[in-house]
């Protein structure tokens, strides 16, 4: 954006936390080959994820914020661009889909400045009115069929996907001349989508490798879910893990762009997002070392997305959220903030006061009372409490601030198995008489121990339930399976598991995707993922749950992707009629690569040219000038297994008759067709008819042979 941009803003939750000076590292990878560049660009055809309506599960789980409905495309746009987006799905359902163009520094509620356009089934044309990143928003619950998006237009920008891209991929994206034009970069994992300024992606991500940072974020999100008891795999469970990604945004605009909206705190949380407002704020989110050692702010803002509204009475918005930060801090093995900041010492002085009022204390001292319930009754205390609250009938859920306080005292007493009246009275939060009467009816023993003396470094009174036993850690022999479709017979991949504990039980289950892909378990610690013949362009996910005798569980996921086999053909695209040209083919079968048979044919205008191409791919000399099509089929035989596929390539003969001159009425359905016009040679990037070579901007469909901005597929 070059012009001044004006934004509006509403108040939202924010936090300020300690920061470290930035660490800067340079990215200077070797130049990319064109084939590598094409592989690094996001695919223009992809299946839309269908995690469901963001608001429905959030409401059932009594949380405050929706996660993002936006799904990354890997492309950004500029004002004046024209996009074509084909949305393809079957059945009678009408999912609510939108093309969504936004920037990470839009600080308004649910991005009020975004350009949004509803996507209907079939072909949609989007005339771009502002610069930004293109997303596809899905607001609907899953439908019976896949939703396939086919995108034309837009510009690729650096987008790293965990478990798909490598460190060298990421450095290549940042170094690519075309992708450098984008002011933004994006990183995706199973649980997170992080969008930031491109220059910050270069300088803040440790060693130019985002893998560790994204893996840490996935663990942090899973720990937050564990803390609140979100773990069930059933799609209709109140206690299921959150299927949407959490979107972390760099709220500072790129150089040259002015944003007049207010941005609160170092970081803030709101519906659809977590956003940084300072340089140190974004560093805490994307620098792995800072995220792990000094990431209180990002952990805190993530906690806002997990706060249960029924447990958050007046004055507690910035209090209960810190339970997540404390839980994550402990899982990472860091020194507890209440110890480092002297909060427990303040609590001792507070208890010495004759009159105590919990509501008047600073937020970290308030959080200390809540944290003592975890320290005393176990790290799964809030997980068990969360399940109790989520299973409350709607008409029994507390609504007023006082009702929330009294219900919290009642339910924590019931869950702990003790009358906690002495604990809450010590903290200056005395139960009402009606609450005392309810607790008395439960016949609970009086909490005689001064559990308010517990602190991270000295838990004097431990009432935890088997908390001395840690959850098992599960390691799989493979986390992803990239399979190639076959015909004739099914085949399988073996996956074995190990844990750091003995005497665990295993449960293998398919949790998403194509139900024809199954898990066959010959023994407890091993499964065979079975892929039937004929499947292609589909996927499935499996979960292994290991449970120890204490009831603690550990999980690991396997993602299976089945793709259509392909043949890569190399060779000249143009030949003189007096010379022969040799084409070479290589199939990407994933087994028995040495037993592949290739069959070639050559045609012109739909008619086969007898003996036009040899068995080894040599097109003979002496053919008449014209437009030819070479076709190759590869077949693999291995016992009863067989897969076959084909790939087309355009061959152009000697153009003495000017048969390749551009014609306005002619349809050019395939990319990289050479035509002549006004004494120049041009190549198209996609399907076109009527578009005159030499017209349009640098991103037009026709580009002159040898141009620096030539379509990647035509180089």
């Amino acid at each position: 954006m070059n012009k001044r941009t004006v934004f509006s803003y509403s108040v939202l939750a924010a936090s300020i936390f300690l920061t470290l000076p930035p660490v800067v590292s340079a990215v200077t990878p070797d130049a990319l080959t064109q084939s590598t560049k094409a592989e690094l660009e996001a695919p223009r055809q992809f299946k839309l994820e269908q995690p469901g309506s963001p608001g429905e599960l959030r409401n059932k789980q009594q949380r405050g914020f929706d996660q993002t409905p936006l799904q990354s495309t890997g492309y950004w746009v500029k004002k004046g661009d024209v996009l074509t987006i084909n949305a393809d799905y079957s059945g009678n359902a009408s999912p609510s889909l939108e093309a969504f163009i936004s920037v990470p520094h839009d600080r308004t509620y649910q991005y009020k400045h975004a350009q949004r356009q509803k996507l209907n089934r079939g072909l949609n044309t989007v005339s771009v009115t502002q610069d930004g990143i293109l997303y596809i928003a899905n607001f609907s619950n899953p439908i019976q069929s896949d939703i396939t998006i086919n995108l034309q237009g837009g510009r690729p920008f650096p987008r790293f996907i965990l478990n798909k891209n490598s460190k060298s991929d990421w450095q290549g994206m940042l170094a690519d001349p075309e992708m450098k034009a984008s002011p933004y970069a994006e990183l995706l994992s199973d649980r997170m989508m992080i969008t930031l300024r491109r220059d910050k992606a270069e300088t803040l991500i440790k060693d130019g490798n985002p893998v560790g940072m994204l893996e840490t974020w996935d663990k942090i999100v899973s720990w937050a879910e564990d803390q609140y008891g979100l773990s069930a795999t059933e799609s209709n469970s109140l206690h299921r893990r959150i299927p949407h990604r959490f979107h972390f945004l760099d709220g500072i605009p790129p150089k040259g762009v002015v944003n007049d909206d207010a941005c609160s705190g170092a970081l803030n949380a709101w519906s659809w997002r977590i956003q940084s407002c300072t340089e140190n704020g974004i560093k805490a989110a994307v620098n792995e070392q800072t995220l792990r050692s000094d990431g209180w702010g990002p952990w805190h803002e993530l906690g806002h997305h997990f706060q249960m509204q029924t447990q958050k009475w007046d004055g507690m918005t910035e209090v209960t959220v810190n339970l997540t930060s404390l839980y994550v801090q402990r899982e990472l093995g860091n020194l507890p903030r209440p110890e480092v900041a002297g909060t427990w010492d303040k609590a001792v002085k507070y208890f010495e006061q004759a009159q105590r009022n919990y509501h008047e204390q600073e937020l970290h001292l308030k959080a200390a009372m809540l944290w003592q319930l975890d320290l005393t009754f176990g790290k799964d205390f809030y997980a068990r409490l969360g399940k109790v609250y989520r299973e409350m009938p709607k008409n029994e859920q507390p609504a007023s601030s006082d009702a929330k306080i009294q219900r919290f005292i009642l339910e924590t007493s019931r869950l702990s198995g003790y009358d906690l009246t002495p604990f809450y009275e010590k903290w200056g939060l005395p139960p009402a008489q009606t609450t005392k009467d309810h607790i008395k009816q439960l016949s609970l023993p009086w909490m005689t121990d001064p559990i308010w003396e517990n602190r991270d470094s000295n838990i004097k009174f431990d009432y935890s339930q088997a908390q001395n036993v840690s959850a098992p850690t599960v390691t799989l022999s493979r986390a992803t399976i990239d399979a190639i479709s076959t015909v004739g017979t099914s085949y399988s991949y073996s996956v074995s598991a190990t844990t750091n504990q003995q005497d665990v039980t295993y449960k293998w289950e398919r949790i998403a995707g194509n139900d024809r892909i199954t898990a066959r378990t010959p023994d407890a610690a091993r499964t065979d993922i079975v892929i039937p013949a004929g499947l292609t362009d589909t996927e499935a996910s499996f979960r292994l749950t290991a449970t120890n005798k204490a009831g603690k569980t550990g999980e690991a996921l396997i993602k299976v992707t089945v793709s259509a086999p392909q043949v890569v053909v190399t060779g000249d695209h143009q030949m003189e009629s007096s010379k022969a040209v040799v084409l070479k083919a290589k199939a990407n079968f994933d087994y028995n690569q040495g037993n592949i048979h290739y069959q070639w044919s050559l045609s012109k205008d739909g008619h086969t040219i007898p003996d036009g191409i040899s068995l080894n791919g040599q097109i003979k000399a002496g053919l008449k000038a014209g437009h030819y099509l070479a076709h190759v089929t590869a077949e693999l035989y291995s016992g009863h297994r067989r897969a076959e596929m084909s790939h087309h390539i355009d061959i152009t003969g000697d153009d003495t008759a000017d048969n390749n001159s551009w014609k306005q009425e002619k349809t050019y359905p395939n990319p990289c067709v050479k035509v002549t016009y006004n004494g120049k040679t041009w190549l198209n990037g996609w399907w076109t008819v009527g578009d005159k070579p030499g017209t349009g901007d640098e991103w037009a469909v026709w580009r002159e042979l040898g141009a620096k901005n030539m379509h990647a597929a035509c180089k």
Side-chain angles (χ1 to χ4, degrees):
M1 297 182 183
N2 295 319
K3 64 181 182 180
R4 189 177 182 85
T5 307
V6 180
F7 292 80
S8 61
Y9 187 80
S10 298
V11 177
L12 44 87
S15 66
I16 301 175
F17 54 95
L18 299 176
T19 56
L20 296 174
V23 178
V24 179
S25 60
V27 178
T28 57
D30 294 334
L32 297 173
T33 65
Q34 294 304 321
S35 60
T36 302
K37 172 179 166 53
E39 292 171 0
L40 295 182
E41 291 182 3
R44 291 190 173 274
Q45 179 172 307
F46 55 91
K47 287 184 174 64
L48 205 62
E49 295 176 2
Q50 300 190 58
S53 169
E56 286 190 15
L57 184 62
R58 181 264 306 159
N59 185 52
K60 291 178 180 178
Q61 294 182 343
Q62 304 172 27
R63 295 182 285 106
F65 294 143
D66 290 352
Q67 282 64 61
T68 183
L70 305 183
Q71 297 188 30
S72 174
T73 66
Y75 289 87
W76 70 295
V77 296
K78 293 183 72 67
K79 181 178 180 180
D81 287 352
V82 177
L83 309 175
T84 58
I85 302 175
N86 188 74
D88 182 36
Y89 46 87
S90 59
N92 297 323
S94 298
S96 178
L97 309 177
E98 290 185 7
F100 203 105
I101 300 171
S102 184
V103 289
H105 55 275
D106 185 342
R107 302 163 183 168
T108 60
Y109 179 74
Q110 295 185 351
Y111 319 130
K112 298 300 183 184
H113 300 304
Q115 179 185 347
R116 302 173 62 169
Q117 180 173 321
K118 180 177 176 59
L119 296 179
N120 299 311
R121 191 199 308 253
L123 194 63
N124 301 265
T125 301
V126 179
S127 298
V128 179
T129 60
Q130 63 186 53
D131 295 3
I133 300 173
L134 173 66
Y135 298 95
I136 305 297
N138 183 3
F139 298 98
S140 298
N141 285 321
I143 64 174
Q144 292 297 317
S145 78
D146 290 334
I147 302 175
T148 302
I149 300 296
N150 195 313
L151 166 67
Q152 296 297 333
R155 301 158 169 80
F157 74 107
R159 184 185 70 165
F160 182 94
I161 301 178
L162 184 64
N163 295 325
K164 177 180 178 182
N165 296 120
S166 64
K167 173 183 177 180
S168 61
D169 291 341
W170 174 243
Q171 294 178 334
M173 294 175 192
L174 294 176
D176 177 69
E178 183 178 8
M179 293 190 186
K180 274 189 174 181
S182 167
Y184 311 110
E186 199 155 73
L187 305 103
L188 277 76
S189 66
D190 287 341
R191 315 307 306 277
M192 294 293 297
M193 178 164 65
I194 301 174
T195 311
L196 70 162
R197 286 164 289 164
R198 184 188 169 283
D199 59 325
K200 294 301 172 182
E202 287 189 358
T203 59
L204 295 180
I205 293 178
K206 182 181 177 182
D207 299 327
N209 187 4
V211 171
M213 178 268 292
L214 290 172
E215 290 177 341
T216 298
W217 261 118
D218 280 3
K219 291 178 182 177
I220 290 171
V221 173
S222 294
W223 290 330
E225 290 176 326
D226 292 343
Q227 182 180 37
Y228 283 95
L230 302 179
S231 62
T233 57
E234 298 85 357
S235 61
N236 60 348
S237 172
L238 290 171
H239 315 302
R240 66 179 296 201
R241 293 192 182 274
I242 298 171
H244 295 81
R245 286 186 176 89
F246 293 81
H247 196 179
F248 202 107
L249 295 160
D250 179 357
I252 301 177
K255 293 180 181 179
V257 178
V258 177
N259 186 342
D260 289 333
D261 288 350
C263 199
S264 180
L267 294 156
N268 56 68
W270 217 355
S271 186
W272 296 5
R273 69 151 190 255
I274 300 169
Q275 190 173 57
S276 66
C277 296
T278 66
E279 299 293 355
N280 285 328
I282 190 62
K283 177 185 177 182
V286 302
N287 180 270
E288 181 185 358
Q289 181 179 356
T290 308
L291 175 63
R292 295 183 64 90
S293 63
D294 194 23
W296 184 274
W299 313 334
H300 172 104
E301 301 307 334
L302 179 70
H304 278 300
H305 281 258
F306 285 92
Q307 282 178 301
M308 297 189 72
Q309 302 304 294
T310 44
Q311 297 178 15
K312 191 181 73 173
W313 55 87
D314 291 350
M316 299 296 281
T317 296
E318 295 300 326
V319 176
T320 63
V321 63
N322 287 319
L323 288 173
T324 298
S325 295
L326 289 165
Y327 193 97
V328 170
Q329 188 173 56
R330 179 172 58 193
E331 293 300 307
L332 287 170
N334 297 338
L335 291 175
R337 180 165 181 159
E339 297 284 1
V340 175
T343 304
W344 295 124
D345 297 332
K346 293 179 182 178
V348 172
K349 294 181 179 180
Y350 171 63
F351 296 143
E352 293 173 352
Q353 300 176 16
Q355 301 294 324
R356 297 177 297 278
N357 188 329
Y358 177 80
H359 302 293
E360 295 177 352
Q361 307 313 306
E362 56 94 8
L363 63 90
H364 288 294
L365 192 58
K366 287 183 179 181
M369 182 194 77
L370 303 176
W371 188 236
Q372 279 184 331
L373 294 174
D374 173 293
L375 298 177
T376 303
F377 299 107
K379 63 185 293 186
D380 66 341
F381 182 79
Y382 282 102
R384 293 183 284 129
L385 185 66
K387 291 180 179 179
V388 169
Y389 271 80
R390 286 190 293 273
E391 292 174 358
M392 285 182 188
K394 188 73 173 178
N395 61 353
E396 294 184 13
Q397 295 173 11
S400 70
S401 179
D402 188 62
K404 292 177 182 179
I405 295 172
Q406 300 306 319
R407 191 60 179 265
F408 187 82
I409 294 173
L410 172 63
E411 295 301 340
T412 53
S413 293
R414 191 201 314 267
L415 187 63
S416 70
Y418 290 87
D419 185 337
L420 297 181
T421 296
F423 172 73
Y424 288 111
E425 287 181 337
K426 189 70 175 181
W427 272 101
L429 190 70
Q433 186 59 49
T434 54
T435 303
K436 292 181 180 180
D437 292 341
H438 282 304
I439 296 175
K440 187 176 181 180
Q441 292 173 7
L442 298 174
S443 300
L444 298 176
W446 192 257
M447 174 51 72
T448 57
D449 288 329
I451 61 174
W452 52 84
E453 295 179 3
N454 279 344
R455 57 193 295 169
D456 297 88
S457 61
N458 184 15
I459 302 176
K460 297 180 180 179
F461 310 101
D462 185 357
Y463 287 83
S464 63
Q465 299 181 1
Q467 289 306 312
N468 57 321
V469 179
S470 62
T473 300
V474 183
T475 303
L476 296 178
S477 58
R478 61 173 80 202
T480 59
I481 295 174
D482 294 317
I484 304 298
S485 63
T486 64
V487 295
T489 185
S490 63
Y491 60 110
S492 63
Y493 291 83
S494 180
V495 182
S496 58
T498 57
T499 68
N500 61 340
Q501 297 180 9
Q502 302 294 324
D503 298 325
V504 298
T505 59
Y506 295 94
K507 179 183 178 182
W508 300 84
E509 55 187 333
R510 186 183 60 80
I511 59 174
N514 196 312
D515 57 9
R516 293 183 61 195
I517 302 175
T518 58
R520 181 177 58 204
T521 307
D523 59 67
R526 183 170 72 87
T527 190
D528 294 330
I529 304 299
V530 182
I531 303 172
L535 286 187
T536 186
D537 297 326
T538 191
E539 61 185 24
S541 296
F542 294 83
R543 186 191 305 277
L544 169 64
T545 303
T547 306
N548 62 21
K549 289 185 176 181
K552 300 298 184 63
T553 61
E555 299 176 345
L557 295 177
I558 312 167
K559 185 174 183 180
V560 182
T561 303
V562 186
S563 304
Q566 297 177 350
V567 176
V568 177
V569 178
T570 57
D572 293 338
H573 288 281
Q574 188 171 357
M575 60 176 286
E576 297 178 9
S577 61
S578 60
K579 298 180 181 179
V581 64
V582 177
L583 304 178
K584 294 184 179 180
K586 183 177 181 180
N588 72 333
F589 295 118
D590 61 347
Y591 51 82
N592 198 10
Q593 290 282 2
N595 193 21
I596 302 175
H597 175 67
Y598 297 96
Q599 182 68 45
W600 294 88
S601 65
L602 187 70
S603 63
K604 181 175 182 290
D605 299 328
H607 300 288
T608 301
I609 309 299
D611 301 323
I613 189 169
S614 65
L615 293 177
N616 64 0
Q618 177 173 305
I619 302 176
K620 70 178 184 180
L623 295 175
K624 294 182 179 180
H627 189 71
Y628 293 84
L629 181 69
H631 177 83
V632 60
T633 300
E635 295 182 345
L636 170 67
Y637 292 88
S638 178
H640 295 291
R641 295 177 177 177
R642 185 185 63 150
E644 67 178 52
M645 53 196 170
S646 62
H647 178 87
H648 294 266
I649 183 171
D650 291 324
I651 305 296
T652 304
D654 184 13
D655 198 18
T656 57
D658 198 24
N659 290 336
N660 286 350
S661 61
W662 175 79
K663 297 178 178 59
Q664 185 166 0
E665 70 282 0
K666 183 176 178 179
T667 298
Y668 298 88
N670 299 315
C672 304
V673 176
K674 286 186 179 180
V675 301
T676 57
Y677 184 76
N678 282 346
K680 298 179 179 180
T681 301
W682 308 82
L683 288 86
N684 64 317
W686 52 84
W687 180 99
T688 181
V689 61
D691 293 309
K692 185 180 297 184
T695 61
D697 61 14
E698 59 179 324
W699 305 108
V701 61
W702 292 105
R703 301 180 192 176
E704 187 178 354
L705 180 67
K708 292 183 179 180
N709 66 335
M710 178 55 63
H711 308 289
C714 304
K715 292 181 179 179

